[in-house]
Structure formats: structure tokens, C-alpha cells
Amino acid sequence: MPSITLEDLNKEQVTETYLYRDLQLDIVNDNVLLDKGLYREPTTTDIDISYDEGAIKNSLTNLFSTMPGQKLLNPDYGLNISQFLFIPASETMARMIGNRILEGVEHYEPRVTVDNVNVIVDEDTAEYTIDLTLKIPKLSNTSVKFTGILKQPGFSFL
């Protein structure tokens, strides 16, 4: 009886275990800098996966970029921090953005605890720099710092 042998199936597969996984849905036309310094070609059809801190960063990006009412099955989800771009930039607005972020992350991201939210305003350019320090208890209480910028046309992590 004929048989087929596929050498690739016999190779030992090494699997890494991750606590959190998420899809990267940032489909863009430019080369995209991936974690670990690798670039994804703009013509690829692959969808990348984020793990652990990257998955949490994806979740935070979604939270910061979503306005309440955009998710039909969860209409309260989202922070709507882009609304602050249409008000003159000030320290008062920076404090309001920080409070909104603190409340939203504590409510919608149970995988983390917030250590610090610092919002720095640049009144000349009407931009806010957001420094967010989080602890991820299930990842050996790992402390992670994310920095993002809120400016026209919206929020993005640096």
C-alpha cells in the first residue's frame, strides 16, 4: 500500500505558552513595526497575534479609540477621549482626561491595576501626552508603562 511521508510533520514543535492573546487588527498600507523590531510587509495577508503585554496594549487601544455607542452589544464601552480635542487644551482638561482613563481602565480592563496616569498638556499644539503605568498581576505582577499621544485625528500609542 502506498504511503506519504511529510518530513515537516516529524519536526519537533516548540510551543510557548502565553496567558493573554489578541489579534492585531491594524491593517495599514505602510510597513508596520512589530514587537521585537520586526517589520511586516505591507502586502502580507497574515493577521498578527499579540501576546501578554501586547494583547493588553491592543485592548487599551480599542478602549481609548472607541466612543460609547459604537459597540452594539456593549454600548457603554469606550472612553471618548477624542472629545477633549475640540476644547482648548489646558491643565484642567488634562486632569479630566486622566480621570476618564483611570475610571475606564479600572472598569473595562480587569487584567490590570493602574499604578499611575499622567497626562501632560502641550497647549501650543493642543496635544496631550499620556503616560500610563500598569501592573499585570497574573504575569508575575509585571509593571508595564505605555505612552500615547492624543492629538488630531485621535489617540495612538508611541
Side-chain angles (χ1 to χ4, degrees), residues 5-13:
T5 304
L6 300 174
E7 294 298 322
D8 287 340
L9 296 178
N10 293 333
K11 292 181 181 176
E12 182 178 324
Q13 302 240 343

Side-chain angles (χ1 to χ4, degrees), residues 1-152:
M1 175 167 215
S3 66
I4 298 175
T5 304
L6 300 174
E7 294 298 322
D8 287 340
L9 296 178
N10 293 333
K11 292 181 181 176
E12 182 178 324
Q13 302 240 343
V14 178
T15 58
E16 295 183 47
T17 58
Y18 300 100
L19 189 58
Y20 305 119
R21 286 182 289 212
D22 196 5
L23 296 176
Q24 291 184 4
L25 299 176
D26 56 345
I27 309 298
V28 296
N29 294 329
D30 301 319
N31 285 342
V32 177
L33 179 62
L34 302 175
D35 292 339
K36 301 177 185 163
L38 302 174
Y39 283 91
R40 180 176 68 207
E41 294 298 320
T43 57
T44 184
T45 58
D46 295 342
I47 295 178
D48 292 314
I49 298 174
S50 296
Y51 300 99
D52 297 334
E53 291 98 354
I56 290 172
K57 184 177 180 180
N58 282 350
S59 176
L60 293 173
T61 300
N62 290 335
L63 178 63
F64 291 2
S65 303
T66 304
M67 294 192 327
Q70 282 185 313
K71 290 182 72 174
L72 296 176
L73 299 177
N74 190 0
D76 294 331
Y77 180 85
L79 295 184
N80 193 20
I81 58 175
S82 294
Q83 75 177 6
F84 294 102
L85 294 174
F86 302 103
I87 303 170
S90 68
E91 288 293 327
T92 302
M93 290 299 116
R95 279 192 298 281
M96 290 175 71
I97 292 169
N99 289 336
R100 172 89 42 100
I101 290 171
L102 178 63
E103 292 169 3
V105 171
E106 286 177 346
H107 185 262
Y108 291 110
E109 188 49 75
R111 300 177 289 184
V112 302
T113 56
V114 179
D115 279 347
N116 187 33
V117 178
N118 187 24
V119 181
I120 303 162
V121 63
D122 184 347
E123 294 178 8
D124 296 333
T125 60
E127 296 178 358
Y128 298 94
T129 303
I130 300 166
D131 292 322
L132 183 62
T133 306
L134 307 169
K135 276 211 177 13
I136 309 171
K138 290 191 176 182
L139 290 178
S140 302
N141 222 13
T142 303
S143 185
V144 180
K145 183 175 180 179
F146 296 113
T147 300
I149 190 158
L150 178 63
K151 63 179 183 176
Q152 287 291 358

